Amino acid sequence: MSVLVIAEHDNASIKGATLNTVAAAAACGGDVHVLVAGHNAGAAAAAAAQIAGVAKVIHADAAGLEHGLAENVAAQVLAIAGNYSHILFPATAGGKNVAPRVAAKLDVAQISDITKVVGADTFERPIYAGNAIATVQSGDAVKVITVRTTGFDAAPATGGSAPVEAAAAVADAGKSSFVGREVTKNDRPELTAAKIIVSGGRALGSAEKFTEVMTPLADKLGAAIGASRAAVDAGYAPNDLQVGQTGKIVAPQLYIAAGISGAIQHLAGMKDSKVILAINKDPEAPIFSVADYGLEADLFTAVPELVKAIS
Ligand SMILES: Cc1cc2nc3c(=O)[nH]c(=O)nc-3n(C[C@H](O)[C@H](O)[C@H](O)COP(=O)(O)OP(=O)(O)OC[C@H]3O[C@@H](n4cnc5c(N)ncnc54)[C@H](O)[C@@H]3O)c2cc1C
């Protein structure tokens, strides 16, 4: 049996989360196939074919698949599900929208947010906001899985040369329709794909200060900007910058936390970062317990000094 990965894409290119999901799929055993369900998405399918380790790309093209409406994508997955022992989605907003529909229709239990493949039917996943790791074994014939992308190194985006096979696209389910999309324009790297993240907390005190203090540091380092939930709730930073249990899960090479206390819900989203630098004026702040480098200082002095010191 083969393993199916549902690609996350924008019809033109493949999103990074797909690469981590391919790596997880490879660990499940069997040939890895990638489904690109979209509209005029030939370029995305061609990009998927280049991913190292992919044996086949299945390309379903229809207007109803253009915007990734969950009802239609789930129907497309179900149309080919019979050929697969495992169906893997990245645990992103898109993947988490489709996977439960597929699992329910197949009458199997979804295995959510896996961070390790122990064997073809056994997986590790974090529970209690990452404070414990559960090893789960599934007896279902088909494993419907969402993959925590930070748990798996990305498969190389190039090096493969898989054939692209056209699949008959399913009819529009007609249960939902695409109305519009408001996309945040951002020149910075995407938070979940960034190599460096600078995150600000409640200590910043206002949206103006958040921008004034954090932006120059992000600019200097070519980093993405993140925020704690307290900073987001207070309106200092937009919602899509939130890192943590109810925000984004990140694991960059370098995570700089400025004025963030390190509540477990925040740590759940960033503690797998390779190097953590915490700037906090409270020596007892829990963030220091996960930090590789801790700077006990006032961030309003320390961050500008850091910016100045980086050439
Ligand atoms: C169900 C649930 C889900 C949650 N999900 C998330 C989540 O996804 N992400 C998240 O972040 N939180 C989440 N939270 C909230 C979390 O519990 C904390 O309330 C939040 O992370 C605190 O944010 P903070 O560290 O910015 O603020 P605070 O806890 O208020 O910490 C501010 C820190 O700044 C320091 N400080 C103050 N002034 C300065 C200064 N001038 N210079 C340097 N340091 C200074 C203080 O010493 C303090 O440590 C969740 C909570 C719940 C209950």
Side-chain angles (χ1 to χ4, degrees):
M1 280 292 239
S2 305
V3 177
L4 181 66
V5 169
I6 313 306
E8 184 141 321
H9 65 89
D10 59 5
N11 293 306
S13 60
I14 294 289
K15 301 276 181 190
T18 309
L19 304 176
N20 309 83
T21 310
V22 166
C28 293
D31 281 352
V32 177
H33 295 182
V34 174
L35 171 66
V36 176
H39 188 42
N40 296 329
Q50 307 246 300
I51 301 171
V54 172
K56 183 159 81 176
V57 173
I58 298 158
H59 180 201
D61 205 286
L65 296 169
E66 180 172 5
H67 301 291
L69 294 178
E71 292 83 354
N72 293 347
V73 177
Q76 188 66 56
V77 176
L78 289 163
I80 59 170
N83 303 329
Y84 296 99
S85 56
H86 299 70
I87 303 175
L88 284 80
F89 299 78
T92 54
K96 289 192 281 190
N97 200 7
V98 181
R101 298 166 198 271
V102 172
K105 287 281 193 182
L106 293 174
D107 197 20
V108 299
Q110 179 179 307
I111 307 156
S112 303
D113 229 8
I114 65 160
T115 49
K116 188 173 174 188
V117 177
V118 180
D121 63 353
T122 309
F123 310 91
E124 285 185 3
R125 55 181 302 266
I127 54 172
Y128 301 117
N131 285 309
I133 304 295
T135 303
V136 295
Q137 190 168 30
S138 166
D140 286 326
V142 184
K143 277 67 167 165
V144 175
I145 294 169
T146 62
V147 175
R148 183 176 287 207
T149 53
T150 55
F152 298 86
D153 288 338
T158 55
S161 58
V164 179
E165 192 176 276
V170 292
D172 190 335
K175 291 189 178 139
S176 57
S177 59
F178 178 78
V179 176
R181 170 183 286 135
E182 282 177 36
V183 183
T184 317
K185 285 254 180 306
N186 199 346
D187 295 336
R188 296 186 188 288
E190 206 184 318
L191 199 50
T192 49
K195 293 203 163 45
I196 305 177
I197 296 175
V198 299
S199 260
R202 196 200 310 264
L204 270 307
S206 69
E208 293 70 31
K209 280 284 170 200
F210 192 98
T211 307
E212 187 188 313
V213 175
M214 302 307 291
T215 309
L217 183 58
D219 286 345
K220 266 278 168 77
L221 294 170
I225 295 185
S228 72
R229 176 157 159 185
V232 168
D233 286 352
Y236 305 165
N239 188 269
D240 60 330
L241 299 193
Q242 185 178 316
V243 171
Q245 186 186 338
T246 43
K248 298 204 166 113
I249 311 283
V250 299
Q253 297 294 326
L254 173 63
Y255 187 89
I256 301 180
I260 293 180
S261 60
I264 52 162
Q265 296 90 353
H266 188 81
L267 300 186
M270 47 62 73
K271 69 176 162 46
D272 290 333
S273 304
K274 300 284 180 291
V275 175
I276 298 171
L277 162 64
I279 303 169
N280 198 302
K281 65 179 186 185
D282 174 9
E284 304 296 326
I287 190 81
F288 287 131
S289 67
V290 297
D292 300 282
Y293 299 94
L295 186 58
E296 189 193 325
D298 185 327
L299 74 89
F300 294 106
T301 326
V303 174
E305 275 176 5
L306 198 56
V307 173
K308 232 188 273 168
I310 303 167
S311 52

